[in-house]
Amino acid sequence: MAKKTLKDVVLQGKTVLMRCDFNVPLDEHRNITDDRRITSALPSIKYILGQGAALVLCSHLGRPKGEMKSELSLKPVARRLEDLLGLKVIMAPDCVGADVDKLKSELAPGQVMLLENLRFHKEEEKNDDEFARRLAAGCTVFVNDAFGTAHRAHASTEGVTHVIQPAVAGFLIEKELKYLGEAISNPKRPLLAILGGAKISGKIDVVKNLFDKVDRLIVGGGMIFTFFKAMGKEIGDSLLEEDRIAMAKELLDEAEKRGITLMLPADVVIADAFSNDADTRVVPVDEIPVGWMGLDIGPQSQDIFSKAIAEARTVIWNGPMGAFEMPAFATGTEKIARALAAATAEGATTVVGGGDSAAAVSAFGLDDKITHISTGGGASLEFLEGKKLPGIEALTDK
Ligand code: AMP
């Protein structure tokens, strides 16, 4: 790891500002429906408090767009954190200002305070210097443990590092970089990447970057139909990105030129409507009739892909194999998730990018059977694209 982490700095007696990703889902009564983003920050929180530091936590929640919105207050997070830590969590009235500065100055070692939603101020996303300075006031160590926002240069992820040094990675970011980084730059081979999801346009840079690294590439999800179109096949009413057909052709040619095995499904589940109640059939990919659309990979493809997963020693997966939100088209995604779990049990390293594939793994109850599930959808995608994440780049070098 090229950047300093929590274990590289003295924390005793310091007031530490830590950026977390507490952007948790809430129901209509503002109850937290999934607290994994809070529990995944606990190792860093407990360590910092245990070292005798006073801890100021900050995060965004939802999209208040620069306005104070009570329904997007972080108060429910403070309460849940209190339960999880068994410790009082002081809830600040705002994230900057004289009242907050006073609370910070009164915070004793071992005490923890949560600042109010950063995005109640439009300056946060604008990475405003003065806002970063106000946010940093009174703190002498900065910790970034919010992998989910590491791909954004905001005041709380990038701006503060110009005001507070050292700026170090928390344990969660350290773990993300270890697993994602090793999977890409130093994998046990063969390395297999599986890409799915609706659109090829969102994944082109990932495919291009992975071409340099992988031994095999599986493509599933809605984006296969643009590839099939590029191969001259009829795809009925399946999802198509007309303006990406030429690009898909280039990618197919490039894979062939480089000797990379690019695996596309052999069969698909088709439906006569985009609905869970639609009539469905399984057909070879050459036989999609007019008026029907492909919504999942077929059973033969599930078997072929599962075998490829079993043969790999490192697997990176990003994006569902079909329209998995509808149970009728979730089987392909489930089979891939189960194949990953089985490969993990056999000693392979398996890494799932955040977002839909992480949600799918959870829905099938396989969370603890995968080596690493990223907490950041957008951030892990940008990492796989080979881009530098501004929130990480800004941290102090080792
Ligand atoms: P993405 O955000 O690009 O990763 O795409 C995820 C979305 O792709 C999910 O909401 C899936 O329902 C959708 N999806 C996957 N396969 C298909 C398909 N064959 N047709 C339409 N949508 C799909």
Side-chain angles (χ1 to χ4, degrees), residues 196-200 202-203 220-225 238-239 269 274 293-297 318-326 333 356-357 381:
K199 292 187 174 173
I200 185 173
K203 306 272 159 84
M223 66 169 119
I224 56 175
F225 300 103
S238 306
L239 203 63
V269 179
F274 190 77
M293 65 186 82
L295 291 179
D296 196 7
I297 58 171
N318 190 301
M321 294 291 102
F324 78 108
E325 296 90 342
M326 295 184 270
T333 301
D356 282 329
S357 10
L381 208 57

